[in-house]
Amino acid sequence: LDSRYKCGISRQEESMAAMTTRERVKRMYEHKEADRVPVTDLPWASTIDRWEKEGMPKGMSYADYFEMDKFVGIGVDTTPRYPEKIIEETEEYRIKTTAWGATIKDWKHKGGVPQDLDFTVKDADSWARAKARMTPSRDRVDWDHLKKNWKAWRDEGVWLSGGFWFGFDVTHSRIVGTEQTLMKMATEPEWIKDVWETCLDMNIALFDMVWEAGYHFDEMMWWDDMGYKGTQFFSLPMYRDLLKDAHKRACDWAHARGLNVRLHSCGNISTFIPDLIEIGVEMLNPIEVKAGLDPVALKKQYGDKLGFHGALNAVLFWEPEKMWAEMRKVIPEMKKNGGYIISSDHSVPETVGLEEFREFVRLARELGTYE
């Protein structure tokens, strides 16, 4: 026997030696156990401000500080590139225009999504003008950032995601507005479909450039919030008629390159899950408990076909003891046979102190470790 086994380290323990995030997440996608379940989350900027005031070194990565798993997203610029400017600024907020042509109000010292005030794109004609500005070009990729960091990411074993953005979410939250998007899906579906297809075309064209330049990544993921509390924004037949083909085309692009596929969709989209599995979605995030999803039930129903990222009710951050109890109930069930990434089911609000989140990470690692 070599020295490792003389020291009492079994072959099973050696096989479960500490993995990189990349190795860990890959095994989750394969529905296999790893050394432990990956642990990640997404704090608001205001939460980071609080943690720095409470002792986290300013400018330090929170993932490094808490020794969480390391996920990096690669993005591209798919916008119409409308001029960005600040219209009004106070101590509390900024009113500004975005590259998508929206006018928004964004708060400086508290988390949350911006308030939509106006949109440049309101109908098919204004969309045609925006579309004319959306031409794929190499200056829409931050090549310097990739050149500087990609090798280090690979050497460190981080999990790299190519971040697509197309579909209902970007349309209702950045381009047209929620009410207008839903109305036009019913009354003028072809131009809404054109928005989705054009955004997807932009993503594919730009990520083709990234891929062909040798900057490969591990998964393609995209954000498409299609639900809210209790149900989805639109029916299953409407999903199938208008959006499903674009989603499938994105999955097909990823799978042709050997990539895994993860979808972020807030809200209760349980009605869509069989269709999402059918088109090739392999992992779903964030499994929003407060919207009515039961993660353990979903794991039992779909766990052999679908992975889950999230599933811990962020509302419980307000009462930490309840969060710890929920973690002890949920994580042991969700980690069975892999297929799970630990995080809250939305994000980390500024009500969560540094030491509270440290305990969240510690307990997540403990409960997520495989024996």
Side-chain angles (χ1 to χ4, degrees), residues 89-349:
E89 183 167 10
T90 71
E91 286 297 315
E92 298 299 320
Y93 65 83
R94 292 186 188 92
I95 296 177
K96 59 186 180 181
T97 61
T98 73
W100 288 103
T103 303
I104 62 172
K105 183 177 184 179
D106 203 2
W107 283 265
K108 293 182 176 180
H109 308 298
K110 59 182 180 180
V113 297
Q115 179 184 354
D116 297 326
L117 301 177
D118 197 11
F119 295 92
T120 300
V121 178
K122 301 176 185 294
D123 52 29
D125 289 341
S126 51
W127 163 244
R129 292 190 291 273
K131 181 178 177 179
R133 305 170 65 98
M134 296 169 66
T135 303
S137 55
R138 291 187 62 82
D139 64 340
R140 289 177 176 269
V141 178
D142 190 343
W143 298 108
D144 289 341
H145 183 64
L146 291 173
K147 183 177 181 180
K148 178 181 177 182
N149 294 291
W150 184 85
K151 186 179 184 302
W153 293 332
R154 276 291 179 241
D155 290 345
E156 196 175 355
V158 305
W159 183 257
L160 288 178
S161 299
F164 278 34
W165 204 17
F166 69 100
F168 176 78
D169 190 6
V170 64
T171 308
H172 93 90
S173 68
R174 294 292 185 269
I175 303 175
V176 179
T178 305
E179 180 179 357
Q180 191 78 326
T181 299
L182 290 169
M183 290 292 292
K184 297 304 183 183
M185 285 172 66
T187 61
E188 298 180 52
E190 289 307 313
W191 87 260
I192 289 293
K193 284 181 65 175
D194 188 54
V195 176
W196 297 341
E197 294 288 348
T198 299
C199 289
L200 178 56
D201 288 343
M202 285 287 290
N203 280 280
I204 287 175
L206 294 171
F207 274 105
D208 275 342
M209 295 179 194
V210 172
W211 193 263
E212 289 163 8
Y215 296 113
H216 293 180
F217 38 95
D218 302 305
E219 72 173 0
M220 183 274 289
M221 68 87 61
W222 81 97
W223 298 262
D224 206 348
D225 290 350
M226 298 181 288
Y228 56 103
K229 188 171 183 178
T231 190
Q232 64 279 344
F233 280 106
F234 42 89
S235 69
L236 180 59
M238 185 170 277
Y239 172 73
R240 289 172 173 168
D241 288 345
L242 301 183
L243 186 51
K244 185 176 178 179
D245 285 348
H247 280 180
K248 183 179 185 303
R249 189 155 68 93
C251 292
D252 290 346
W253 182 91
H255 289 149
R257 288 153 184 81
L259 300 172
N260 294 116
V261 176
R262 178 164 50 112
L263 168 65
H264 168 97
S265 181
C266 288
N268 189 333
I269 60 164
S270 54
T271 301
F272 293 168
I273 288 178
D275 286 66
L276 296 173
I277 293 171
E278 177 194 325
I279 63 174
V281 172
E282 299 168 83
M283 186 168 290
L284 187 62
N285 163 261
I287 322 300
E288 202 167 7
V289 178
K290 56 189 174 293
L293 293 176
D294 181 337
V296 174
L298 291 174
K299 174 78 172 185
K300 290 177 179 177
Q301 186 173 4
Y302 300 112
D304 60 333
K305 308 178 188 72
L306 186 67
F308 302 93
H309 168 193
L312 297 172
N313 189 353
V315 171
L316 299 180
F317 275 128
W318 273 263
E319 300 179 85
E321 292 304 322
K322 291 185 178 179
M323 174 61 88
W324 314 151
E326 183 76 355
M327 293 170 73
R328 291 187 176 96
K329 180 180 73 173
V330 171
I331 293 174
E333 294 299 319
M334 298 301 290
K335 77 175 187 180
K336 290 179 179 177
N337 302 312
Y340 184 45
I341 297 174
I342 297 173
S343 80
S344 69
D345 66 352
H346 194 273
S347 50
V348 186

